[in-house]
Amino acid sequence: MPSEERRLEDDRTQNIPWHRWGPYLSERQWGTVREDYSPHGSAWDYFSHDQARSRAYRWGEDGIAGISDEHQQLCFAIALWNGQDPLLKERLFGLTGLQGNHGEDVKEYYFYLDSTPTHSYMKCLYKYPQAAFPYTQLIEENQRRGKQDLEFELMDTGVFDADRYFDVFVEYAKQSPEDILIKITVANRGPEAKPLHLLPTLWFRNTWSWNRKASRPVLKAIHSEGNLHIVEAVHHKLGKRWLYCEGMGAYNHMPLLFTENETNSERVFGVPNASPYVKDGINRYVVEAEAEAINPDQMGTKAAAHYVLNLGAGETKTIRLRFNNIPLYRDGAASSPFADFDAIFATRQQEADAFYQRLTPFPLDDDRRRIQRQAFAGMLWSKQYYHYTVDTWLKGDPDVVPQPPERKKGRNHDWIHLDSEDIISMCDKWEYPWFAAWDLAFHCIPLAMIDPEFAKHQLDLLTREWYMHPNGQIPAYEWAFSDVNPPVHAWATWRVYKIEQKIWGQSDRLFLERVFQKLLLNFTWWVNRKDVEGKNVFQGGFLGLDNIGVFDRSAALPTGGHIDQSDGTSWMGMYCLNMLAIALELAKTNPVYEDIATKFFEHFIYIADAMNHIGEGEASLWDEEDGFYYDVLHLPEGRQVTMKIRSMVGLIPLFAVETIEPEILDQLPAFRERLEWFIENRPDLRRNVACMRTQGVGARRLLAIADTNKLRRILQKMLDESEFFGPYGIRSVSRYHAGHPYIFYANGNEFRVDYTPAESTSGLFGGNSNWRGPVWFPVNFLLIESLQKFHYYLGDDFKVECPKGSGQMLTLWEVACELSQRLTRIFLTNVAGQRPVYGASNKFQIDPHWRDYILFYEYFHGDVGAGIGASHQTGWTGLVAKLIQQYGEYTAQNRAPDQQKNTIKGDFRRNCRIYRPEVKPYSLRIEFLLTIAITER
């Protein structure tokens, strides 16, 4: 077995903890809900970036390019000083939600370049200006600008002009789970010689200030002479560990600096310190030359090796360190920790290359491989230690200042059962350093390709009793656990199961059943809480689409009443079909699940009927005149208003599609009997079901909200380049609304939706997210899968014009392929040698030290593809790694999976230029593909 795969297997089966140490350090702990103890939940103001260097954190730590153990007891990261800044660069800077003209935003440049799943090799890059970092300018200029203006970025300040900056590469290589080699390479990109203070820093997370009975760990210098400097770490759980710091020429006598990871109460609160050695002691020693700020006894809970590098123009220097539990210093003598250093690094890099080559052994160009590799790196670097015990947080710690009484009924007070201390995949470790339920589901798709155990653990975790609410709700995100995200957990569970089955050859039915059982509780919560009138038409609130509606769908409507949501109802239809697919798979070995499968089959029919039903005074969500799905506003006096906004809300009904193959009914006779009874005995629903008995390709049948007629009509808009079909994916709102804004008047106020392809011009949800025009990867990815499922049933005879008006007729497979390539094109270099993701940023487009480092933004300009929003949201934008893998497997080889016999391996019988991801379950060959393509009465 190859080396990285062996490490994954040993971690899984032999309890060899290759995952114990990893990039679990947050990039922003300040300004989070966890650290907020204010009376009214003012998280951004309560714990600021300015305080972060002096104030100890309660629930976690942050740093640059850092690592920690899985319980974040001991942390390592780098600190930098260019001789100009007013403070050490120990953490990344950005604007708070109130400072940015489009909400919070990191104002730094850093890149995740590589990582293996076990973190046996990792690499990242931080770009540090040589001029004073423009903290004040960034705040003031962005506050001056309005929501109609572009954001003022770090590049705009001029600090990178003439390449006056340092590239700081940080690499890690594991010789064993507990033996970590660290290489820091600094390059002066500027035209002049410049000094740089580099401080590799080791510290303990403060657990003792909140509990006086807690054991206090210690760091101390045990050797600091010649070419080797050693810091010993002693912790009651971790035992002893050592950080070996290599001297180098003039750095042989570099000092080790020690202080305590405790709050500088004098600076933060204006009260005397219990000890002269506090969290910002090393900062004050280096920047302010306060010799008394560090401990002369060389011991504490925070320590740094202080290298002063003098780098000539274009010069590069490397520092080597090693961190392990191996005592190499005994009886006053030390053996070299660096004798095999370079060989180990070379081996781990070769193993990383081999691992990713085996993952995608298909013909791919270098650019696609580079994008995929960095996407995986971003996914893996975005793991974070997440600690939050809501009950303790609300009450406050007994050994600190008593808490304001208002907090007892404040944010998340109805989630006192939530008790998290886990490694979780984050959306973005600076902008969103907390989990979000529906984001996490999408993260697990690319993660399952490289580390299925971690992906499965993530999905299982949020359904465990210390996360899921007793009522069955899955927590949304820490700012409001009770908010409602789209119910995509079942979809992700099923997809991860199938991806592991295909790529890794394992069918983890125990995982599938364990999560399914708990999703039954969540499904029940949805039905009981979000179907107000019990008519299988759902509400749900904003459902992750932030400002897509004319109103804030999570707040009380200015009109009163409620909204029947096309997307909310469609998500539930999709949820039913996902649960049906899982139940049918489990029923193969346990007939109990046949009854459950029947339940979800019937529930889906009711939902599909409700989506398309007209009559009895009810407005249908389907608009026959427009050929599109819309939300319907129910006013208190009984009037109903169809809200004709052409948005992703009307495309989401396409997500509710599943295929069943004929063999499944032969294997599951109880399910077949109930299904046939339902067809024969419910004519009230059957008459709304098109082609109920019609077989598709391979005698398959189809369950879908949209029948073929509705599908064609929806695709006419979706594939129209003047509406949804942008050059870089499907827009979240149709471009039609650029000239035809949707306007609604209520209580003398105007509410409107315009096509807004870039940053939000609305303050809804903080204004840092925009669903009124940009391209978003998660929903585009689901559209690709849906098109492929429809094609799996309809085959090559069903074609649509794509793009509309082109005269080119494509199968739905080919449409899916075109959409996939438009999305990937965001990151690829075009014929002009530029990447659309970087828009008009000249530095990123042409500079050899920038142009091949990829940022995976939260969303993208609807017309030009430029990245917008959180710049390191590799989470769901990392789905591009999956699209590239599928491109290599099918499109680049000019072939597609055989529709008659959908095998993982073997000959493909058809040659075509399209590809197909594993959207159809490979071993669950669902048989009787029921077409619940619902028509109107």
Side-chain angles (χ1 to χ4, degrees):
M1 183 180 291
S3 298
E4 182 62 15
E5 287 90 328
R6 168 56 63 191
R7 284 188 282 269
L8 287 167
E9 182 68 9
D10 287 348
D11 189 281
R12 183 177 72 90
T13 63
Q14 303 298 318
N15 201 29
I16 299 175
W18 281 101
H19 288 91
R20 175 172 291 167
W21 295 86
Y24 309 143
L25 207 57
S26 177
E27 283 156 3
R28 178 175 62 82
Q29 185 69 14
W30 60 273
T32 60
V33 167
R34 284 153 287 155
E35 300 295 339
D36 175 24
Y37 285 83
S38 64
H40 304 292
S42 304
W44 285 115
D45 297 327
Y46 182 78
F47 201 133
S48 67
H49 175 269
D50 180 63
Q51 292 179 342
R53 68 180 182 273
S54 305
R55 188 173 179 181
Y57 294 125
R58 170 62 177 85
W59 295 97
E61 295 289 339
D62 59 16
I64 298 173
I67 62 172
S68 78
D69 65 278
E70 60 192 347
H71 296 289
Q72 203 160 99
Q73 297 162 123
L74 186 55
C75 309
F76 173 89
I78 62 167
L80 304 163
W81 188 52
N82 55 17
Q84 305 297 318
D85 284 351
L87 65 153
L88 276 183
K89 178 65 70 173
E90 295 181 274
R91 57 189 49 79
L92 300 174
F93 172 74
L95 305 180
T96 70
L98 302 176
Q99 292 171 338
N101 60 324
H102 297 114
E104 63 266 33
D105 188 41
V106 68
K107 299 299 183 185
E108 306 266 15
Y109 296 119
Y110 56 104
F111 306 87
Y112 308 123
L113 301 182
D114 211 353
S115 181
T116 57
T118 63
H119 310 297
S120 58
Y121 177 71
M122 298 192 296
K123 183 178 183 179
C124 70
L125 166 63
Y126 173 69
K127 290 181 176 287
Y128 185 41
Q130 294 172 359
F133 197 90
Y135 294 104
T136 302
Q137 184 184 9
L138 287 166
I139 294 172
E140 292 179 350
E141 178 60 23
N142 278 286
Q143 286 185 320
R144 187 188 66 79
R145 298 188 179 196
K147 294 201 176 294
Q148 303 288 341
D149 300 319
L150 294 174
E151 294 182 8
F152 184 64
E153 302 293 358
L154 181 60
M155 191 71 73
D156 300 327
T157 68
V159 293
F160 290 98
D161 290 356
D163 296 328
R164 287 183 166 87
Y165 69 93
F166 299 105
D167 269 342
V168 184
F169 295 91
V170 182
E171 297 173 84
Y172 299 91
K174 293 182 183 178
Q175 169 64 0
S176 72
E178 302 289 353
D179 187 6
I180 304 170
L181 288 65
I182 306 166
K183 181 165 62 175
I184 305 169
T185 303
V186 181
N188 178 4
R189 300 299 184 200
E192 304 155 350
K194 289 289 181 180
L196 176 68
H197 296 249
L198 169 62
L199 295 99
T201 305
L202 188 69
W203 74 100
F204 288 107
R205 177 167 62 90
N206 188 326
T207 57
W208 57 90
S209 292
W210 334 109
N211 181 0
R212 292 172 185 168
K213 296 179 181 179
S215 298
R216 186 187 185 95
V218 64
L219 300 169
K220 58 183 178 181
I222 63 169
H223 182 83
S224 187
E225 60 184 43
N227 200 38
L228 184 63
H229 308 266
I230 307 172
V231 177
E232 181 180 75
V234 181
H235 188 277
H236 69 287
K237 290 183 178 178
L238 289 175
K240 288 186 176 182
R241 275 169 169 67
W242 294 269
L243 177 65
Y244 300 97
C245 309
E246 183 183 41
M248 188 178 69
Y251 318 124
N252 283 351
H253 302 290
M254 63 79 185
L256 297 176
L257 311 178
F258 290 80
T259 189
E260 301 291 344
N261 184 20
E262 296 181 352
T263 298
N264 182 344
S265 297
E266 184 174 338
R267 178 176 185 267
V268 177
F269 302 115
V271 298
N273 291 318
S275 165
Y277 311 119
V278 289
K279 183 177 178 181
D280 58 14
I282 295 173
N283 174 85
R284 286 157 49 214
Y285 174 85
V286 174
V287 177
E288 301 170 22
E290 292 186 25
E292 65 277 9
I294 61 171
N295 191 339
D297 294 332
Q298 292 200 301
M299 60 187 304
T301 48
K302 179 179 179 180
H306 185 192
Y307 295 89
V308 181
L309 308 180
N310 292 295
L311 295 115
E315 187 178 6
T316 297
K317 291 184 178 180
T318 298
I319 299 298
R320 304 192 301 179
L321 307 99
R322 192 162 186 166
F323 176 67
N324 59 33
N325 59 356
I326 304 169
L328 299 177
Y329 180 76
R330 292 176 179 169
D331 302 323
S335 56
S336 173
F338 304 105
D340 55 355
F341 189 96
D342 294 338
I344 293 170
F345 254 101
T347 299
R348 293 294 177 263
Q349 288 173 304
Q350 292 167 4
E351 291 168 352
D353 292 342
F355 174 79
Y356 285 110
Q357 180 62 38
R358 286 189 298 273
L359 180 72
T360 311
F362 316 114
L364 280 179
D365 56 86
D366 290 343
D367 204 22
R368 282 185 172 84
R369 287 197 182 277
R370 179 184 299 111
I371 294 164
Q372 185 188 56
R373 185 81 166 259
Q374 291 185 40
F376 282 131
M379 297 297 308
L380 294 167
W381 272 92
S382 294
K383 295 179 183 180
Q384 180 185 304
Y385 170 79
Y386 186 84
H387 186 24
Y388 187 21
T389 303
V390 173
D391 189 44
T392 299
W393 175 75
L394 286 170
K395 293 176 180 176
D397 297 296
D399 293 337
V400 298
V401 177
Q403 297 303 300
E406 296 92 338
R407 298 189 70 253
K408 293 181 180 179
K409 293 296 181 181
R411 179 178 283 123
N412 297 329
H413 70 272
D414 49 353
W415 287 79
I416 58 172
H417 70 284
L418 195 141
D419 185 3
S420 172
E421 191 192 6
D422 296 287
I423 304 301
I424 303 181
S425 177
M426 297 291 136
C427 314
D428 177 319
K429 289 204 299 185
W430 192 94
E431 189 148 337
Y432 306 115
W434 28 262
F435 72 86
W438 86 301
D439 299 62
L440 185 63
F442 290 100
H443 300 183
C444 290
I445 303 308
L447 284 170
M449 298 169 62
I450 53 179
D451 191 350
E453 289 301 314
F454 181 74
K456 290 184 295 184
H457 175 68
Q458 299 294 287
L459 293 169
D460 181 46
L461 194 61
L462 291 198
T463 65
R464 297 304 301 266
E465 60 274 19
W466 56 90
Y467 283 88
M468 179 182 277
H469 197 280
N471 65 17
Q473 184 179 9
I474 291 175
Y477 50 89
E478 77 172 20
W479 283 86
F481 284 137
S482 293
D483 268 0
V484 182
N485 283 172
V488 291
H489 215 82
W491 167 79
T493 299
W494 178 238
R495 294 294 288 114
V496 166
Y497 175 80
K498 300 308 296 180
I499 290 170
E500 183 182 30
Q501 191 177 69
K502 178 183 179 183
I503 295 179
W504 296 84
Q506 299 176 155
S507 300
D508 191 344
R509 302 176 72 84
L510 181 62
F511 153 75
L512 193 65
E513 186 169 15
R514 184 170 59 243
V515 178
F516 179 79
Q517 292 283 355
K518 286 168 285 191
L519 287 176
L520 291 173
L521 301 175
N522 180 248
F523 186 89
T524 302
W525 175 84
W526 267 91
V527 171
N528 290 338
R529 296 292 297 275
K530 296 301 176 183
D531 180 8
V532 169
E533 297 178 341
K535 296 180 179 179
N536 297 299
V537 177
F538 291 81
Q539 293 78 48
F542 86 108
L543 285 173
L545 307 186
D546 294 7
N547 64 343
I548 200 166
V550 71
F551 305 127
D552 179 350
R553 300 191 299 172
S554 286
L557 300 176
T559 59
H562 69 273
I563 296 175
D564 283 344
Q565 295 181 211
S566 174
D567 55 334
T569 307
S570 302
W571 285 120
M572 285 303 292
M574 175 183 169
Y575 199 173
C576 282
L577 294 180
N578 299 148
M579 295 293 275
L580 171 63
I582 296 172
L584 290 174
E585 176 75 357
L586 295 173
K588 292 179 179 179
T589 55
N590 186 346
V592 169
Y593 288 101
E594 290 188 64
D595 294 342
I596 299 176
T598 301
K599 177 258 186 286
F600 285 110
F601 162 71
E602 294 182 2
H603 203 138
F604 175 75
I605 291 179
Y606 288 119
I607 290 174
D609 177 60
M611 279 285 294
N612 297 281
H613 178 65
I614 297 177
E616 301 176 8
E618 295 292 326
S620 171
L621 300 178
W622 172 257
D623 187 276
E624 180 62 27
E625 180 182 2
D626 285 6
F628 205 67
Y629 286 100
Y630 298 114
D631 286 348
V632 174
L633 172 64
H634 290 247
L635 296 169
E637 69 272 19
R639 189 164 59 94
Q640 299 168 24
V641 179
T642 298
M643 305 176 74
K644 294 192 174 186
I645 304 172
R646 296 181 189 174
S647 74
M648 187 60 65
V649 165
L651 300 180
I652 287 175
L654 298 182
F655 298 170
V657 54
E658 188 54 81
T659 55
I660 306 179
E661 301 199 12
E663 297 88 1
I664 200 76
L665 298 181
D666 295 334
Q667 297 178 48
L668 305 176
F671 174 72
R672 177 173 189 156
E673 180 181 359
R674 178 59 180 162
L675 181 147
E676 291 177 345
W677 181 94
F678 196 91
I679 293 172
E680 294 300 324
N681 291 278
R682 291 303 308 268
D684 56 323
L685 294 175
R686 190 183 67 207
R687 66 174 178 237
N688 291 324
V689 178
C691 305
M692 189 69 170
R693 296 182 174 86
T694 301
Q695 298 180 357
V697 174
R700 301 178 182 95
R701 309 252 180 181
L702 179 73
L703 286 165
I705 282 178
D707 65 14
T708 55
N709 180 54
K710 289 185 174 67
L711 176 63
R712 282 191 184 278
R713 297 192 68 190
I714 292 170
L715 291 181
Q716 285 177 357
K717 288 183 172 61
M718 191 180 100
L719 301 179
D720 186 338
E721 292 181 319
S722 68
E723 289 219 33
F724 286 100
F725 204 32
Y728 302 101
I730 301 298
R731 303 172 175 115
S732 48
V733 162
S734 169
R735 206 166 186 272
Y736 166 83
H737 289 300
H740 306 84
Y742 179 83
I743 301 175
F744 189 96
Y745 293 96
N747 303 324
N749 296 314
E750 179 185 279
F751 299 84
R752 64 186 290 153
V753 172
D754 297 85
Y755 173 67
T756 310
E759 296 280 8
S760 173
T761 57
S762 162
L764 288 180
F765 291 90
N768 68 331
S769 178
N770 184 24
W771 284 83
R772 294 184 175 182
V775 172
W776 291 76
F777 257 77
V779 287
N780 272 261
F781 188 84
L782 289 175
L783 283 171
I784 289 170
E785 287 200 345
S786 298
L787 290 168
Q788 293 165 340
K789 287 181 180 181
F790 276 113
H791 179 266
Y792 198 55
Y793 169 74
L794 295 168
D796 290 347
D797 293 336
F798 186 94
K799 295 186 177 183
V800 294
E801 189 179 32
C802 178
K804 181 182 177 181
S806 67
Q808 176 178 246
M809 303 301 292
L810 300 180
T811 68
L812 296 185
W813 283 115
E814 292 169 326
V815 173
C817 177
E818 174 63 20
L819 175 53
S820 175
Q821 294 201 59
R822 288 189 181 208
L823 290 165
T824 307
R825 201 180 298 153
I826 291 171
F827 306 102
L828 290 168
T829 52
N830 57 26
V831 292
Q834 299 192 342
R835 301 184 191 276
V837 63
Y838 289 135
S841 177
N842 195 54
K843 193 82 168 173
F844 277 93
Q845 296 290 15
I846 66 174
D847 192 306
H849 297 301
W850 294 75
R851 66 189 180 199
D852 288 336
Y853 300 136
I854 313 299
L855 292 177
F856 299 89
Y857 285 82
E858 184 179 8
Y859 53 100
F860 302 87
H861 194 290
D863 296 332
V864 301
I868 308 171
S871 58
H872 289 73
Q873 183 113 348
T874 318
W876 60 25
T877 303
L879 289 164
V880 71
K882 183 69 172 142
L883 297 181
I884 289 172
Q885 187 256 1
Q886 295 161 351
Y887 171 88
E889 186 173 0
Y890 300 118
T891 312
Q893 298 188 79
N894 199 35
R895 65 183 190 178
D898 191 326
Q899 291 184 326
Q900 300 300 321
K901 186 172 178 61
N902 188 17
T903 54
I904 300 171
K905 298 179 181 178
D907 296 330
F908 290 96
R909 300 177 188 171
R910 301 174 60 240
N911 284 327
C912 56
R913 65 181 179 81
I914 55 169
Y915 71 96
R916 180 185 168 278
E918 339 60 75
V919 297
K920 176 75 226 86
Y922 279 92
S923 67
L924 171 80
R925 309 219 47 240
I926 303 186
E927 321 173 328
F928 185 177
L929 260 120
L930 285 166
T931 251
I932 288 194
I934 304 278
T935 61
E936 310 87 52
R937 285 184 184 165

